[in-house]
């Protein structure tokens, strides 16, 4: 049966689903949540939690990256953020939080116009490394050529190339584009790259040698990509499509497994559950962790799209504070809205449907739900 619908006589479109459109279904078996494993491994690095923190100034500082690492997740530091532009960014974080809405975008553009300082990249990554947790930093494709050597020399364990969308075949008549395949081949560290939202785009990224692919485009809480560019990829379909690319690339490459990481639209515990059910190995969380009392945004959330110098495609949004980082990850939950005890919810969903680990849970039955959750 075709999944295409007719938009008009001259255009057809494929129906796609968001996480809100689907639900997982219990099977004949249930388990004790204590018997469920939420661990995963990418390259040589094992994590107890399938959770990466998005490289956003409202979510990650060196201190919160260390805290998440000690809890079993992976904090990814934005190496183009305030922490690598200013020696002491705390006053600027406070200013951004207090900005009137009408002035927020313009003032953030001014604040982020300060040049990135390579010595601060080195300093911040060394601060994380000194704690003993896995060290990860992110650059956009446009900044990767300029700063990657500084990042590698500082001792990063995992390198993330993250943009609104990243392709293996970027074409430019004005500058030499980043050759991902050659770049990844020459690096000594595993690279996670994205976003991608289609089977074909993800398959090409996998062929570059990436260890993981970030899935998402314009679906985060602080994004306005859909209204500013008219582009959006509903996440349930996007993750499922990229998981299919992973399966086919596994055969094509003779057994090389590339991890699929859902990045965007994963704001609550039910979204984490459904991301894994659609085929994700892990999730990258922004707003969900920005709700932690320790987060640098202190209840406010924004990404690099919010201060783009020419075409902002995001905004500063108030997400509130739901609890400490530990409460958001492990509870106890004090709200019934999916903002706390994310890991406990994932464990219970896996146990309720009878699965013992994440790889097994990717096979859970999924239905299109005939309602919108609260």
């Amino acid at each position: 049966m075709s999944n295409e619908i007719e938009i008009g006589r001259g255009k057809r479109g494929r129906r796609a689903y968001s996480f809100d459109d689907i639900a997982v279904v219990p099977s004949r078996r249930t388990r004790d949540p204590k018997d469920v494993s939420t661990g995963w491994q990418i390259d040589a690095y094992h994590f107890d939690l399938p959770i990466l923190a998005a490289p956003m100034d409202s979510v990650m500082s060196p201190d919160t990256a260390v805290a998440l690492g000690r809890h079993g997740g992976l904090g990814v530091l934005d190496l183009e953020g305030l922490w690598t532009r200013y020696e002491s960014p705390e006053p600027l974080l406070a200013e951004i939080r207090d900005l009137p809405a009408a002035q927020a975008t313009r003032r953030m553009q001014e604040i982020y116009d300060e040049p990135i300082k390579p010595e601060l990249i080195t300093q911040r990554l060394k601060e994380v490394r000194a704690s003993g947790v896995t060290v990860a930093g992110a650059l956009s494709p446009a900044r990767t050529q300029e700063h990657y050597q500084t990042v590698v020399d500082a001792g990063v364990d995992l390198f993330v190339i993250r943009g609104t969308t990243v392709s293996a075949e970027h074409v430019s008549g004005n500058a030499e584009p980043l050759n991902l395949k050659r770049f990844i081949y020459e690096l000594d560290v595993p690279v996670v790259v994205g976003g991608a939202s289609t089977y074909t785009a993800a398959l090409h990224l996998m062929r570059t040698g990436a260890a993981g692919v970030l899935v998402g485009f314009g679906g985060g809480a602080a994004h306005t990509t859909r209204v500013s560019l008219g582009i959006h990829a509903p996440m349930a379909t996007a993750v499922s499509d990229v998981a299919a690319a992973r399966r086919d690339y596994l055969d094509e490459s003779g057994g090389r497994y590339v991890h699929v990481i859902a990045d965007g639209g994963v704001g609550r515990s039910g979204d984490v559950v459904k991301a894994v059910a659609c085929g994700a190995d892990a999730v990258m969380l922004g707003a969900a962790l920005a709700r932690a009392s320790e987060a640098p945004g202190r209840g406010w959330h924004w990404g690099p799209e919010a201060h783009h110098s020419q075409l902002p495609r995001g905004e500063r949004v108030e997400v509130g504070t739901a609890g400490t980082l530990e409460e958001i990850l492990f509870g106890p939950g004090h709200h019934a809205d999916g903002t706390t005890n994310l890991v406990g919810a994932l464990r219970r969903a896996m146990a309720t449907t009878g699965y013992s680990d994440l790889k097994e849970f990717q096979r859970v039955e999924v239905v299109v739900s005939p309602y919108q959750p609260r």
Side-chain angles (χ1 to χ4, degrees):
M1 180 183 297
S2 173
N3 201 30
E4 286 193 345
I5 59 174
E6 185 177 285
I7 296 169
R9 292 192 178 187
K11 181 68 69 173
R12 296 181 67 85
R14 186 164 67 106
R15 187 183 298 276
Y17 300 96
S18 71
F19 291 140
D20 282 347
D21 295 323
I22 67 168
V24 299
V25 180
S27 66
R28 63 182 177 83
R29 180 184 293 114
T30 57
R31 295 182 183 274
D32 187 327
K34 294 179 181 178
D35 295 334
V36 168
S37 170
T38 59
W40 74 297
Q41 181 162 327
I42 181 168
D43 204 75
Y45 303 99
H46 176 84
F47 302 96
D48 293 334
L49 312 179
I51 291 174
L52 297 81
M56 296 177 168
D57 281 338
S58 58
V59 179
M60 281 288 101
S61 66
D63 286 344
T64 51
V66 170
L68 181 60
R70 287 174 173 165
H71 282 306
L74 176 65
V76 183
L77 200 62
D78 180 7
L79 302 180
E80 301 175 33
L82 297 179
W83 294 92
T84 59
R85 297 175 190 262
Y86 297 92
E87 185 69 41
S88 300
E90 289 89 351
L92 292 166
L93 288 164
E95 180 184 349
I96 291 172
R97 295 193 297 264
D98 294 337
L99 285 171
Q103 301 174 19
T105 298
R106 181 180 295 274
R107 177 57 183 145
M108 288 171 70
Q109 288 173 323
E110 295 172 350
I111 290 171
Y112 281 91
D113 194 46
E114 179 73 13
I116 298 167
K117 299 175 177 60
E119 64 273 19
L120 285 179
I121 292 178
T122 301
Q123 179 181 328
R124 302 312 183 194
L125 291 175
K126 286 186 174 179
E127 289 173 15
V128 178
R129 176 163 293 284
S131 71
V133 303
T134 303
V135 184
L139 291 171
S140 66
R143 300 277 192 173
T144 295
Q145 292 278 35
E146 182 180 359
H147 295 295
Y148 84 89
Q149 194 61 56
T150 301
V151 175
V152 174
D153 290 346
V156 72
D157 296 315
L158 286 165
F159 185 49
V160 178
I161 302 175
R162 184 179 187 258
T164 305
T165 186
V166 177
S167 76
E169 298 182 16
H170 179 66
V171 178
S172 173
N174 301 310
E176 182 181 357
L178 175 66
N179 185 322
L180 271 175
K181 188 170 186 177
R182 184 179 66 194
F183 175 79
I184 292 173
Y185 177 78
E186 293 175 354
L187 279 185
D188 291 330
V189 299
V191 177
V192 175
V193 62
S197 58
T198 66
Y199 172 94
T200 301
L203 186 60
H204 281 275
L205 287 179
M206 292 172 187
R207 288 169 177 164
T208 67
V213 171
L214 300 172
V215 184
F217 190 100
H223 279 256
T224 59
T225 307
R226 185 170 187 174
V227 297
S228 59
L229 297 185
I231 301 175
H232 179 59
M235 284 294 289
T237 296
V239 172
S240 179
D241 284 348
V242 176
R246 175 188 60 203
R247 176 199 62 210
D248 292 348
Y249 179 70
L250 188 70
D251 292 337
E252 174 188 307
S253 62
R256 184 172 181 273
Y257 188 92
V258 179
H259 292 81
V260 173
I261 302 166
D263 177 16
V266 191
R268 299 176 188 269
S269 56
D271 300 324
V272 177
V273 170
K274 289 182 273 190
V276 178
C278 287
D281 298 288
V283 296
M284 178 171 273
L285 302 181
L289 298 181
R291 298 187 185 103
S293 57
E294 304 96 318
R298 298 294 190 271
W300 291 88
H301 180 47
W302 64 93
E305 301 82 9
H307 50 77
H308 191 280
S309 60
Q310 300 298 321
L311 184 61
R313 302 179 304 281
E315 56 191 355
R316 183 202 58 169
V317 296
E318 187 172 10
V319 295
T321 299
T324 65
L325 179 61
E326 184 172 3
E327 288 172 336
I328 285 175
L329 293 174
F330 305 113
H334 302 294
H335 313 278
D337 58 1
T339 59
T340 53
N341 201 358
L342 305 181
V343 179
L346 176 60
R347 283 182 174 277
R348 186 165 293 276
M350 292 169 66
T352 300
T353 53
Y355 295 91
S356 60
D357 60 43
L358 298 173
K359 286 284 195 302
E360 284 190 357
F361 190 56
Q362 291 171 350
R363 302 197 299 267
V364 69
E365 183 181 353
V366 173
V367 296
V368 177
S369 57
Y371 61 89
Q372 289 293 318
R374 290 187 299 169

